[in-house]
Amino acid sequence: MHTDIPLTTSIPLNTTSTTNLPLVSFDNITICADQLIGDALEGLSGRIIWGIIQLILMILGNLGNILTLLVLNRRLMRKGGVNNLLQGLAISDIVAPTLACISHIIYYYGPKNNQNLIHLVNLFVMPIATGATFCSNWIVVTITSFRLMIVVKPLYSQVYCSSENERKALIVIFLFSILSIVPYYYYRSQADALDVIKVISAGLSLLGPWVICVILWILLIRIVNREIGTKKSKEFILHSEVVAQRLKSKSRITRMVLIICFFNIICQLPVLVLTIFGLIDGNPCGHLKAFTFVCLLFLSNLLLIVNHSINFFIYSLTNSKFRYSLRVMCRRCCFIKDCCKNGKQTQRQLMKSDDLRKSPRPITNKSDNNSYTNSKSRDSPHGMMTVRTTNPSRFNRNNNQTGRAAV
C-alpha cells in the first residue's frame, strides 16, 4: 500500500482478502489496513467506487475542462481577469485525474497478470499526477491572491495582475512542480530517502497551499462583505450605469473565485488528513484504525476527482459571460452541422439534376413541333399589352416633333 501519492492511492500489488484468513485474523490487533483495502478492491464496493464511479467522474470532468479551455480561448473571454490562470487550472485538472485513474483501469479492465504493469505505473506515472496536483493547488492560491489584490488595490492590480504576470506565475508553478517530483525518480530505490521526500511533498503540495487558501478565503470573504456585499448594495444606485455594472461584474467574479477556493479547501481536507495519517503510520493495524483509514481513502479519492471536475459547473453557474460564450459556441457548432446537412442535400439535388440532364430525351413528332412553334409565335397577352402601351407613346413623340418643326 503506497500513501505517498496525495492525489489518489495506488493499487497495492499483493492484495490479500480477509475472507481467506482464519477467524483469529479478525482480532482487533491483527487486522490491518492493507487487508481491508485488498478486500475492498476485490469486492463489489471497490469495483463500483474505483472502477465505475471514479472513471465516470473523470470522463465528465475532462469533458468539462476541455469545454472550459474552448470557452476561455474565445475573444469575449480573453479580456477577463485571471483568464490565463483559469486555463492553467483546467489543464492541470485534466492531467491529474487522468493519470491517477490509469492504475485503476489496468487493475479492473486490464490483463489478469498485471502486477508488473501496475508497479511501473505507480513508479513512473503517479509522480506526474502528484506534480499536476501540485500545480492545481498552487494555481488556486494564485487565483485567490490575484483576486484579493484586484479587490483591495485596484490601481496596483493593473500593474501586478496583468496577463504577462499570470503567464510568469504559471511558468514558476510548473517549474516548481517538476522539481517536486524529480526526487521520486532519483531516490526510488532508497526507502529512507523516500520517507523524507514524502514529508516534504506533503508539506509543499498539500499543507502549504491548503493553509494559504484558508487564510486568503477568510480575508477575501470579509472584504467582499465590507466593500461589495450587501452593506454597500445601496451605493450602486448612486453611481452611473457603467460604474454600477462594473461593480456588479466585479462582485460576481469575486464570488466565483470564493466558491472555487471553498471547494478546494473542502475537497483537500480529507486528503490532507489521510496523508498525515499515512505519514504517521503507513499501515495502521486494529479494526478501528484500519476502518478509519479505508473510509478516508474512499472519501479522499472521490472528493479529489470532484475537485478536479467541478470547476466547469462553477463557471457556468456564477459567470454570465462564460454562459453566453458557451451558448454562442454551441449555436455555431449546431449551425455548422446544419450547413453540412444542407450542403449534402444540395449535392444530392445537383446529382439528381445531372442524372436527369444526362438521361435520353423522348423523340417528339413533327406535328407536335409545329404546334409548339405556332404557339410560341403567337403573341402572348403580356406581349400584346406591352405593344399597346408602347405604341401611343411613340405616336405622341412623333406628333410633338412635327409640331416643333412647324413652329
Side-chain angles (χ1 to χ4, degrees):
M1 179 69 190
H2 305 280
T3 57
D4 56 335
I5 304 301
L7 176 72
T8 184
T9 304
S10 53
I11 301 295
L13 296 178
N14 297 321
T15 57
T16 58
S17 177
T18 56
T19 55
N20 298 325
L21 296 175
L23 293 176
V24 183
S25 64
F26 287 96
D27 186 59
N28 191 26
I29 300 173
T30 56
I31 191 168
C32 295
D34 278 347
Q35 298 173 0
L36 289 179
I37 292 170
D39 193 12
L41 285 171
E42 293 177 358
L44 182 62
S45 60
R47 184 175 291 275
I48 291 173
I49 293 175
W50 277 319
I52 298 175
I53 296 176
Q54 191 169 354
L55 296 180
I56 291 173
L57 289 176
M58 182 265 293
I59 293 169
L60 292 176
N62 288 343
L63 292 175
N65 288 315
I66 290 169
L67 287 174
T68 301
L69 287 173
L70 294 175
V71 173
L72 291 176
N73 281 308
R74 295 187 67 82
R75 186 179 298 176
L76 181 63
M77 297 297 297
R78 289 174 192 169
K79 299 178 182 179
V82 296
N83 188 10
N84 295 319
L85 293 173
L86 293 177
Q87 291 184 32
L89 181 63
I91 293 171
S92 62
D93 286 341
I94 291 172
V95 174
T98 303
L99 296 179
C101 290
I102 290 176
S103 58
H104 300 285
I105 294 170
I106 295 171
Y107 185 79
Y108 288 111
Y109 304 104
K112 294 182 179 179
N113 298 323
N114 51 16
Q115 294 183 359
N116 295 326
L117 185 59
I118 291 174
H119 178 69
L120 290 175
V121 169
N122 292 335
L123 197 62
F124 294 102
V125 177
M126 296 300 287
I128 302 175
T130 306
T133 307
F134 179 94
C135 288
S136 178
N137 293 335
W138 282 105
I139 287 172
V140 172
V141 172
T142 310
I143 289 171
T144 312
S145 59
F146 272 44
R147 200 66 213 171
L148 184 64
M149 175 72 74
I150 291 171
V151 172
V152 177
K153 300 288 184 182
L155 295 178
Y156 289 101
S157 65
Q158 295 178 2
V159 178
Y160 295 107
C161 299
S162 60
S163 59
E164 185 178 356
N165 289 333
E166 290 178 9
R167 296 189 193 97
K168 290 179 181 178
L170 287 174
I171 292 170
V172 171
I173 292 170
F174 178 71
L175 292 176
F176 273 101
S177 67
I178 293 175
L179 291 176
S180 67
I181 65 174
V182 166
Y184 282 101
Y185 297 106
Y186 189 75
Y187 297 103
R188 65 179 182 272
S189 60
Q190 300 179 12
D192 296 333
L194 282 176
D195 292 335
V196 178
I197 292 168
K198 292 174 189 177
V199 177
I200 297 172
S201 177
L204 290 176
S205 62
L206 285 176
L207 183 60
W210 189 84
V211 172
I212 296 171
C213 264
V214 171
I215 295 171
L216 291 175
W217 185 78
I218 293 171
L219 291 174
L220 190 57
I221 200 168
R222 289 183 64 185
I223 292 168
V224 166
N225 288 330
R226 187 175 68 248
E227 296 293 334
I228 54 177
T230 55
K231 295 180 181 179
K232 295 283 183 175
S233 60
K234 295 181 180 179
E235 293 186 4
F236 288 134
I237 305 171
L238 302 177
H239 297 286
S240 63
E241 257 186 57
V242 178
V243 177
Q245 190 175 2
R246 286 179 181 176
L247 289 172
K248 289 180 181 179
S249 63
K250 184 179 179 181
S251 63
R252 289 194 204 102
I253 296 172
T254 307
R255 290 193 187 100
M256 182 188 74
V257 174
L258 283 171
I259 294 171
I260 294 170
C261 188
F262 175 76
F263 273 98
N264 188 66
I265 292 168
I266 296 299
C267 294
Q268 292 286 342
L269 183 59
V271 187
L272 185 62
V273 175
L274 179 67
T275 305
I276 295 171
F277 199 4
L279 291 174
I280 295 171
D281 189 2
N283 186 20
C285 292
H287 185 74
L288 183 61
K289 290 183 180 179
F291 185 74
T292 305
F293 189 86
V294 173
C295 290
L296 281 173
L297 180 65
F298 275 75
L299 183 63
S300 62
N301 280 324
L302 288 178
L303 287 181
L304 273 174
I305 298 295
V306 169
N307 185 31
H308 290 291
S309 308
I310 204 169
N311 290 333
F312 171 76
F313 301 100
I314 294 173
Y315 303 153
S316 300
L317 292 174
T318 58
N319 197 336
S320 58
K321 192 185 293 186
F322 185 89
R323 289 196 301 271
Y324 175 76
S325 300
L326 181 64
R327 199 181 301 120
V328 170
M329 188 178 69
C330 294
R331 284 177 182 174
R332 289 192 176 181
C333 292
C334 296
F335 177 74
I336 290 169
K337 288 182 180 179
D338 293 336
C339 289
C340 292
K341 289 181 181 179
N342 293 328
K344 289 181 181 179
Q345 290 178 359
T346 53
Q347 286 180 358
R348 289 175 184 174
Q349 290 176 359
L350 289 172
M351 290 173 66
K352 287 182 181 179
S353 62
D354 290 336
D355 293 336
L356 291 173
R357 255 187 308 173
K358 291 177 182 179
S359 61
R361 295 180 180 178
I363 300 171
T364 57
N365 295 325
K366 291 182 180 180
S367 60
D368 295 335
N369 291 329
N370 291 330
S371 62
Y372 177 75
T373 53
N374 291 330
S375 62
K376 292 291 277 186
S377 62
R378 292 174 185 174
D379 294 331
S380 60
H382 180 70
M384 293 172 66
M385 290 294 293
T386 53
V387 169
R388 289 175 181 174
T389 54
T390 53
N391 287 331
S393 61
R394 290 180 183 177
F395 180 74
N396 291 330
R397 287 177 186 173
N398 292 328
N399 290 333
N400 291 329
Q401 288 178 0
T402 53
R404 287 176 185 173
V407 171

